[in-house]
């Protein structure tokens, strides 16, 4: 805890050596009244989760498997933008700490040269028309050698160590991530999302690309043009502009 430089985030630190998922632990703690800024970290997750009940590979002591509990005053419909905000904050932290400049694939992945380095999973609990809590889950592949990824991730995943050739100090990087996330969070509470959504655009690897979209109830192709004020992806298709609030986007090779 002494290495943390943030004020709000990391106010309470809950540490596990092994757990199913830090998001699950954080949701339990939040439901039991944990204060805003509580973070949950685990050395390993034996059931790390992605979106749509996909798994997230989280080997012991080789990554940052982190969940952050927030209790924002904004309305529940704004929660999905926290994923984009977090992606910007984590990308900045990685760049400041390692010099590695990554790109963000809409909505929740941080990529380096076509491979995924970070995944983000935002989950919300709302009551009536107010947010009770938001849990932001962040998984950063830090010191995983390329050969240590399971077969199915070999060609699609990477780590900071695989990129830089050096082992990275996880605690220091965690501290930097919390500093950036805290500053982004305070900024959106004070001034709204516009500034950080514009910043998101400068890190995007999705905008301007030909994409295939697998949405909740439709699948289509087009050109990713922009994001709107809700963080939705605007895709120009043969039938006009489609607005994608949630879904999977793959970038079509040129
Ligand atoms: C995500 O989902 O990428 C969200 C991942 C969130 C992980 C954090 S870790 C702390 C917290 N606790 C949790 O249980 N979760 C959060 P999605 O966009 O659905 O991507 C999932 C897909 O990414 C999988 O189907 C794999 O193809 C790929 N994948 C799995 N593990 C990976 C890894 N370590 N690195 C890169 N790609 C991975």
């Amino acid at each position: 805890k002494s290495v943390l430089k943030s004020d709000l985030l990391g106010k309470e630190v809950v540490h596990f050596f092994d757990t199913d998922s830090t998001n699950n632990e954080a949701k339990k703690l939040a439901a039991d009244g944990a204060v805003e800024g509580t973070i949950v970290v685990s050395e390993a997750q034996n059931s790390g989760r992605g979106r749509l009940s996909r798994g997230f590979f989280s080997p012991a002591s080789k990554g940052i498997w982190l969940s952050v509990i927030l209790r924002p005053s904004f309305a529940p419909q704004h929660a999905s933008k926290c994923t984009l905000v977090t992606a910007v904050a984590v990308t900045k932290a990685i760049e400041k700490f390692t010099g590695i400049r990554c790109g963000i694939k809409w909505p929740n992945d941080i990529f380096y040269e076509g491979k995924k380095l970070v995944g983000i999973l935002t989950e919300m609990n709302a009551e009536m028309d107010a947010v009770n809590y938001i849990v932001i889950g962040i998984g950063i592949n830090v010191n995983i050698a390329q050969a240590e990824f399971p077969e199915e991730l070999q060609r699609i995943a990477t780590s900071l160590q695989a990129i830089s050739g050096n082992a990275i100090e996880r605690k220091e990087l965690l501290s930097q991530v919390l500093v950036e996330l805290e500053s982004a969070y305070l900024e959106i509470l004070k001034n709204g999302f516009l500034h950080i959504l514009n910043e998101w655009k400068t890190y995007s690897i999705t905008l301007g690309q030909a994409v295939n979209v697998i949405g909740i109830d439709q699948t289509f192709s087009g050109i990713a043009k922009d994001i709107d004020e809700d963080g939705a992806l605007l895709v120009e298709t043969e039938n006009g502009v489609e607005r994608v609030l949630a879904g999977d986007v793959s970038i079509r090779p040129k």
Side-chain angles (χ1 to χ4, degrees):
K1 188 162 180 185
S2 56
V3 299
L4 298 184
K5 298 194 272 294
S6 43
D7 295 321
L8 176 66
L9 305 188
K11 236 183 187 176
E12 299 285 339
V13 179
V14 180
H15 178 266
F16 291 91
F17 289 98
D18 196 9
T19 179
D20 55 346
S21 148
T22 56
N23 264 34
N24 292 354
E25 295 292 350
K27 287 200 287 186
K28 276 187 246 161
L29 289 166
D32 286 345
V35 295
E36 173 166 77
T38 300
I39 67 168
V40 180
V41 285
S42 186
E43 293 302 315
Q45 298 184 112
N46 54 57
S47 232
R49 291 188 291 113
R51 294 172 302 155
L52 309 168
S53 38
R54 290 185 284 229
F56 198 78
F57 176 62
S58 320
S61 309
K62 304 220 159 175
I64 293 177
W65 323 125
L66 161 73
S67 299
V68 178
I69 298 173
L70 298 178
R71 298 188 185 276
S73 49
F74 52 64
Q77 80 245 30
H78 295 292
S80 66
K81 286 185 290 235
C82 288
T83 295
L84 282 74
V85 170
T86 303
V88 171
V90 174
T91 303
K92 280 188 185 173
I94 289 173
E95 189 172 12
K96 282 192 187 161
F97 191 66
T98 67
I100 297 168
R101 167 100 182 182
C102 299
I104 304 174
K105 180 162 136 330
W106 187 91
N108 69 324
D109 290 338
I110 300 180
F111 264 62
Y112 183 82
E113 292 186 345
K115 290 179 171 170
K116 180 159 156 175
L117 179 67
V118 179
I120 298 165
L121 177 68
T122 302
E123 299 185 277
M124 177 181 63
N125 178 280
E127 275 159 26
M128 312 290 272
D129 254 345
V131 175
N132 178 14
Y133 62 81
I134 292 176
V135 167
I136 300 179
I138 304 169
I140 309 177
N141 300 329
V142 183
N143 293 325
I144 306 176
Q146 196 63 44
E148 290 173 323
F149 283 106
E151 177 66 30
E152 70 274 15
L153 296 179
Q154 279 294 336
R155 280 163 356 123
I156 57 173
T158 190
S159 77
L160 291 172
Q161 183 186 290
I163 296 166
S164 70
N166 300 315
I168 306 286
E169 181 51 61
R170 285 181 305 147
K171 265 191 214 152
E172 300 285 336
L173 177 59
L174 170 66
S175 167
Q176 189 77 41
V177 166
L178 294 175
V179 165
E180 296 297 334
L181 188 57
E182 176 163 310
S183 117
Y185 181 56
L186 297 177
E187 153 79 17
I188 58 175
L189 290 182
K190 194 157 163 246
N191 301 318
F193 287 83
L194 195 65
H195 173 72
I196 196 121
L197 289 183
N198 280 327
E199 230 177 341
W200 184 93
K201 294 181 195 182
T202 69
Y203 288 104
S204 161
I205 56 168
T206 305
L207 299 183
Q209 302 288 331
V211 293
N212 294 323
V213 179
I214 304 171
I216 292 165
D217 46 23
Q218 85 267 59
T219 298
F220 55 86
S221 304
I223 307 289
K225 284 289 183 187
D226 203 356
I227 53 170
D228 68 11
E229 69 279 4
D230 297 320
L233 187 66
L234 303 176
V235 181
E236 192 176 85
T237 73
E238 284 175 342
N239 311 316
V241 176
E242 296 275 357
R243 187 170 171 273
V244 191
L245 248 182
D248 274 310
V249 168
S250 58
I251 297 168
R252 280 187 280 150
K254 292 210 179 92

